[in-house]
Amino acid sequence: MTGLSYENYEKIWEEAKGILKEKIPNSTFEPWVLPITPAKENEEYFKKDHLVLKSDQSFGVSFLNQKYLSEIQSAINLVCGENLPVNLIFVPSNVKKAPKKKEKPSEHIVLMKEQIDNLKQMQSFCALNLKYTFENFVVGENSLVAYNAAKQVSEAPGQKFNPLFISGSVGIGKTHLMQAIGHSILKNFPDLRVKYAKAEEFTNQLVESCLNRQESTQKMKKFRDKYRNVDVLLLDDIQFAEGKKRTEEEIFHTFDALFHSGKQIVFASDRPISSFKNTPDRLKSRYEWGLMVDLLVPDFKTRVEIIEKHAVRSNFEISKDVAEFLAQTFDNNVRELEGAYNKVSAYASIKGIELTVDAAKEILGLKDGSKKITPDIIIEKCGEYFGVSSKDILSTSRSKEVKNARQTAIYLTREILDMSFPSIGEIFNKNHTTILYSYEKLKKDLITDRTLQTTVFELEKLVRQ
Ligand code: ADP
Ligand code: MG
């Protein structure tokens, strides 16, 4: 399948669409499959001997990748009569548009950057987050060994440390480092196939493949092809598989199949292998076979650097004081540190205020003697803001104001109090899937809706006052 021209790709995609129309419901096909086009040879994301499909519908791309990628791949293969790897990616159509309002350029830049980052995350070249590269990883004492090992693996996949096992507590860069290996290999060895998956996804797909007995042989084959027909397998969060007999057995055989054909495997886990009490010894010994590296919590200096690097990337000027304050306050989890930075920088940009340590404290609700926030306070403030009562919010009323107040209150309860969806469900008299849906919807709308951003920030401030 070499040397295909754009016209060939266009024809292949046209035919594949005909097949997919029968397989994908119209409600998905029309809005999300129809706008897709193949990448052209002169476009930056064009990849030789791949069919790179692009669309400017970010949600559609994410959805299709999750639900219908194997159908799309099968349709392409059917048209071609052989395997032509497909990548479906999101390419924004208007990112270069100039800001309309000139008064606050920084505000525009920060939000655009954030939007692009967010949307880029949905891109799924091998399900990798585009942000998680070696260039964006700040190396400190805590990560030097792991970083070097990851670099070496990416320079000689399957030849150096196999498997590479990365362990370390939550939120300190395991996934980032693991995906950086994937990015680097894709860049340096474009012919290699890289697969990233979390153990949970692996388990779910395995269960799904075993479900229907009649179809299971075919489905199992598809499942195995997915994980064994690769050159590099990045399997994340494998602590999830511990004690799940069927999953661990499948990981074991996948490992053996890949290892014996010289393919690279990288595992990551939130826990050390010594704590895998329910994992069979034969799998544990595979995990330990190559090199095991431990990521530690970054020290203060590295945490400050992480913030500063993040700020440069999002085009935001942060003072040393504020970076140090954040690094001091969030000292054991980089994800939380980044979350805090995102919050204070976005707030300061939107409000057009200078970000001082005091302002950061206030935004994060860390002011000394600040009052205790409860769901009741959140509901009351949201009610007042939208002109409805707390009782209305907790009722089944579907009037526009009540719905807006309820959705914002749900979002803020989750964001500020970090409560679980079932617990929020109990407060709002709704089941947890409704709460989850409502939260996710608002979160997604926030990316593009400026009025909503202001509302949510105003309300958060009122709640914290
Ligand atoms: P883990 O997989 O260990 O739970 P992640 O890899 O998801 O953690 O990291 C959480 C967040 O922190 C990510 O956004 C990641 O980019 C960032 N991060 C972690 N360590 C670093 C680092 N050393 N340099 C830059 N960013 C980092
Ligand atoms: Mg992770």
Side-chain angles (χ1 to χ4, degrees):
M1 194 48 62
T2 48
L4 284 177
S5 68
Y6 177 65
E7 285 73 33
N8 297 131
Y9 284 135
E10 241 187 344
K11 276 190 198 131
I12 293 172
W13 178 234
E14 275 311 308
E15 270 193 56
K17 266 197 296 194
I19 300 171
L20 289 168
K21 192 159 180 15
E22 306 301 317
K23 306 217 160 190
I24 298 179
N26 222 14
S27 53
T28 298
F29 186 84
E30 283 198 359
W32 291 327
V33 178
L34 282 185
I36 294 174
T37 52
K40 298 193 172 129
E41 282 107 324
N42 60 354
E43 286 175 315
E44 56 183 294
Y45 23 77
F46 181 81
K47 223 169 150 191
K48 201 164 161 276
D49 298 331
H50 280 64
L51 177 55
V52 178
L53 297 171
K54 61 188 177 100
S55 152
D56 61 359
Q57 311 281 312
S58 60
F59 182 72
V61 167
S62 166
F63 183 78
L64 290 172
N65 269 306
Q66 280 174 36
K67 292 260 183 195
Y68 290 108
L69 192 59
S70 57
E71 275 78 5
I72 296 175
Q73 181 71 66
S74 306
I76 302 290
N77 290 355
L78 199 68
V79 174
C80 298
E82 60 179 290
N83 186 39
L84 174 63
V86 172
N87 292 129
L88 173 57
I89 63 167
F90 162 70
V91 177
S93 57
N94 58 352
V95 284
K96 291 209 173 94
K97 266 189 195 162
K100 273 197 189 129
K101 271 187 0 193
K102 281 221 164 126
E103 313 92 73
K104 287 189 206 158
S106 62
E107 171 183 340
H108 177 83
I109 292 166
V110 171
L111 286 175
M112 279 306 277
K113 182 78 184 81
E114 214 174 82
Q115 274 177 17
I116 294 165
D117 274 349
N118 252 312
L119 297 175
K120 272 188 172 171
Q121 282 183 21
M122 292 182 180
Q123 293 193 12
S124 61
F125 263 123
C126 315
L128 299 179
N129 181 332
L130 294 189
K131 198 186 102 187
Y132 293 170
T133 58
F134 283 125
E135 293 74 30
N136 288 339
F137 191 86
V138 178
V139 192
E141 293 279 332
N142 63 304
S143 57
L144 198 57
V145 176
Y147 179 86
N148 280 335
K151 269 271 184 191
Q152 291 193 42
V153 163
S154 69
E155 281 154 17
Q159 294 171 39
K160 270 260 161 83
F161 310 123
N162 207 8
L164 175 67
F165 192 104
I166 307 172
S167 60
S169 61
V170 178
I172 58 168
K174 299 182 299 297
T175 299
H176 187 139
L177 212 46
M178 176 179 231
Q179 294 204 3
I181 298 176
H183 283 298
S184 173
I185 291 178
L186 285 176
K187 202 165 140 203
N188 297 330
F189 306 94
D191 295 338
L192 296 191
R193 290 152 302 174
V194 175
K195 167 94 188 147
Y196 168 85
K198 289 185 182 292
E200 183 173 3
E201 191 187 340
F202 182 93
T203 306
N204 292 343
Q205 291 172 358
L206 175 65
V207 171
E208 160 81 3
S209 312
C210 307
L211 270 183
N212 186 335
R213 283 193 156 235
Q214 272 173 343
E215 298 172 30
S216 67
T217 329
Q218 212 188 353
K219 280 193 169 171
M220 253 337 265
K221 185 180 171 312
K222 222 161 127 186
F223 172 83
R224 290 194 170 135
D225 280 351
K226 205 169 356 177
Y227 286 93
R228 298 184 193 187
N229 255 345
V230 299
D231 299 291
V232 181
L233 176 63
L234 310 170
L235 198 53
D236 203 354
D237 290 327
I238 54 139
Q239 75 283 345
F240 178 87
E242 193 219 340
K244 297 190 172 64
K245 225 171 135 213
R246 187 69 186 82
T247 306
E248 291 196 314
E249 193 183 317
E250 196 60 34
I251 294 179
F252 175 83
H253 291 296
T254 307
F255 177 90
D256 273 6
L258 290 172
F259 186 83
H260 291 302
S261 29
K263 311 298 188 191
Q264 178 70 48
I265 305 131
V266 182
F267 294 114
S269 165
D270 283 355
R271 290 194 274 116
I273 295 178
S274 54
S275 73
F276 283 39
K277 303 280 183 241
N278 302 307
T279 298
D281 287 343
R282 58 176 194 161
L283 179 58
K284 270 204 265 191
S285 78
R286 260 56 171 190
Y287 285 157
E288 290 166 340
W289 211 316
L291 180 70
M292 310 196 54
V293 289
D294 204 13
L295 265 181
L296 306 173
V297 174
D299 57 21
F300 176 69
K301 195 171 137 268
T302 311
R303 295 200 299 277
V304 173
E305 260 180 71
I306 292 176
I307 291 295
E308 288 176 341
K309 186 148 196 168
H310 214 60
V312 169
R313 225 184 30 238
S314 52
N315 222 342
F316 182 81
E317 259 183 56
I318 192 160
S319 70
K320 194 92 190 164
D321 284 359
V322 175
E324 289 185 352
F325 160 72
L326 292 174
Q328 223 154 35
T329 312
F330 299 89
D331 59 357
N332 65 1
N333 183 323
V334 183
R335 187 175 298 123
E336 283 176 12
L337 176 66
E338 272 191 4
Y341 162 79
N342 287 338
K343 201 165 189 171
V344 294
S345 59
Y347 190 95
S349 302
I350 287 170
K351 285 289 169 193
I353 57 165
E354 188 195 345
L355 185 60
T356 58
V357 172
D358 266 354
K361 276 189 188 166
E362 193 172 328
I363 296 164
L364 295 169
L366 297 171
K367 271 247 179 260
D368 306 331
S370 59
K371 68 174 179 195
K372 183 162 166 31
I373 299 168
T374 62
D376 284 349
I377 294 177
I378 296 177
I379 293 167
E380 186 192 319
K381 295 288 177 196
C382 290
E384 279 170 14
Y385 192 96
F386 286 98
V388 301
S389 70
S390 297
K391 217 168 128 199
D392 290 334
I393 294 183
L394 302 178
S395 73
T396 50
S397 162
R398 301 190 52 77
S399 82
K400 195 163 164 259
E401 290 75 22
V402 173
K403 265 167 64 183
N404 286 341
R406 186 183 297 132
Q407 201 179 22
T408 319
I410 289 172
Y411 177 81
L412 288 176
T413 306
R414 171 76 181 174
E415 283 290 301
I416 298 176
L417 302 177
D418 205 20
M419 287 173 68
S420 70
F421 291 114
S423 316
I424 301 175
E426 277 176 27
I427 296 166
F428 285 84
N429 304 319
K430 301 259 177 288
N431 74 32
H432 72 278
T433 39
T434 312
I435 298 290
L436 175 69
Y437 174 79
S438 166
Y439 171 79
E440 292 291 348
K441 165 112 181 36
L442 199 143
K443 198 168 162 184
K444 190 169 144 261
D445 291 347
L446 267 181
I447 299 174
T448 48
D449 187 337
R450 298 289 283 276
T451 318
L452 186 61
Q453 283 167 12
T454 313
T455 304
V456 169
F457 278 128
E458 290 285 347
L459 263 167
E460 183 162 355
K461 203 167 149 202
L462 286 171
V463 166
R464 290 190 189 282
Q465 256 170 13

